[in-house]
Structures are given as structure tokens and as C-alpha cells.
Amino acid sequence: MHVAMSFDAKNPLHRKQLFPVLRALADLSVDKSPLEFLNDATSGPVTRGTDYLSNVRKGNFAESIAKQLYLWLEENHFELAHKISAEIFPIPPAVQWGRIVKANASRGQLAVVTHQSGFGALARASKAQRAEASIKLNEYFHFEMEVAAAGYLTLFQHVGSEWAPLELNGDDDLFLALSVGLNRFPVLTGGQIDPICEQRDLGPQEFVAVVSKVNDVPLTPRQLLNWYPQSGSTLYSLTIDFTK
């Protein structure tokens, strides 16, 4: 959550920005008042004085209540809260980066190849098959991509709100030097394919390759937001659905 970064419950100006969101929820509701939404947020009802909503409007209410209300609004009514009080409900960097990826990433070039069984450092090509979108848990696979120019690739795994860079070679590096033509990864230090598998999380996961001319790709969404517009890099994405 973003309490520590975007919302300070000790700041009355921040607390004051919560009431317009409550008011908007009530305006959109058929039969609920701002106070009833506040009770929902704090697992009420709680006994409150007659001027309590007036105090909430002014930001004069308990920090503990403000923190509960903020978290509840963030989890349940974020879009409305962001629209009305963007200062304390900013769009998280991970979401902003996801929108950039959706708008700019090419699909089709980044591919995944599954390994039917026992695929180690050496194996026959007939044992591998290109996957469309679905891979079983504990089924080994690797990625491949063909490029027309040399460069550097960093690969991110996107699950939920998390973006994590993947190790791509035997030196535990989070980048891969690309050669002209077909590139397969991750690899061992000697260049042999080092397949990976998903052992735990079911459902769709997005994999995003950032290809740059120089090896300077940052590793967090916040850093990527500042770096990407001037980087001249290219984005490629692939979604894999992991099943039982």
C-alpha cells in the first residue's frame, strides 16, 4: 500500500482530502450517506458526535480512523479516489509502467519454448515445442527472440503488482547481450540453454523484454518511468497462463 509514501495520517491537509471522496461515494449511492461509508471503512458503526462529519470535512479527526479510511478507499474505490484526490491517491509506479508496456510493447517477437521432459544443458530439438500461451506448473521452458541488431535485453516477470527482473545467464546477471539473429535465454555461463519453470503461481503472468543499445536498464517501475522516454529502447511482451 502507499500510506507511508503518499498519505500522512498526521497531516490534517491530507486527512481533509478524504472527505470529498466520501461525499462522491454518497452522491453515487442510492441510499448511503458519507457517514455510512465511513462506518464501512472502519468496521463500524461507531458512536460519533453530531458534528463528526463536519470535523472530517475539516480534517479534524483521529489519525487511526484516517488511516483505515485511506486504506479502504485505496483498496475498494481507487479510481474514484484518484480522480478526486490525486495528491494522496497517485497512480502507483507499477501501474503506470504497466500502462506504458500495454501501449508500447510489441507482441509476437518474444516467444516461449516448452521442454517436454528432462531438458538439461544438452537436448534434442525434437524434445522442445513452442508454446502458444499455456504452460503447466513445473514444466520447463525458455524464451527466444530474433533481433536485427546487437544490444542488451532485460526481462521482467509481472505478477499482480510486482515487476521482477529475471536472471538471464550463469553469472546471475539481470541482462543478456544480444547477437544478431535468434537468441535463446536464460543460459548458462557457456551459452547453453538453462530452462526455468514456474513452481507455485497459477494463472496468467506477463513477461516483458526491454531491449536497449546500452546496458543501463533500471530495475524498478519508478526508475523505468523516468528512464524509458529518453532511452530509445524497445519493449516486447508475452503472456503465459500457468495451469495445473
Side-chain angles (χ1 to χ4, degrees), residues 127-175:
K127 293 291 186 181
Q129 59 182 3
R130 187 179 292 266
E132 291 295 328
S134 182
I135 296 178
K136 293 181 180 180
L137 290 183
N138 298 308
E139 182 177 8
Y140 282 91
F141 63 93
H142 72 268
F143 299 95
E144 61 182 32
M145 189 168 69
E146 190 162 356
V147 296
Y152 295 90
L153 179 147
T154 303
L155 185 67
F156 292 88
Q157 180 183 26
H158 177 208
V159 183
S161 62
E162 300 297 322
W163 291 85
L166 299 182
E167 295 178 2
L168 294 178
N169 65 46
D171 295 323
D172 298 330
D173 286 331
L174 300 177
F175 70 92

Side-chain angles (χ1 to χ4, degrees), residues 3 7-16 18-19 22 38 41-42 46-49 51-71:
V3 176
F7 179 74
D8 181 3
K10 296 179 180 180
N11 187 334
L13 295 178
H14 281 196
R15 297 197 301 268
K16 187 177 180 179
L18 295 171
F19 180 79
L22 281 179
L38 181 58
T42 57
V46 177
T47 301
R48 310 182 195 278
D51 294 330
Y52 191 82
L53 274 183
S54 177
N55 289 331
V56 173
R57 185 183 295 109
K58 298 173 185 176
N60 298 328
F61 64 109
E63 296 173 15
S64 60
I65 298 296
K67 192 173 296 185
Q68 290 180 67
L69 176 57
Y70 178 86
L71 292 173

Side-chain angles (χ1 to χ4, degrees), residues 102-116:
K102 184 176 181 179
N104 295 279
S106 299
R107 301 187 71 89
Q109 291 94 329
L110 178 62
V112 63
V113 175
T114 60
H115 300 212
Q116 294 175 353

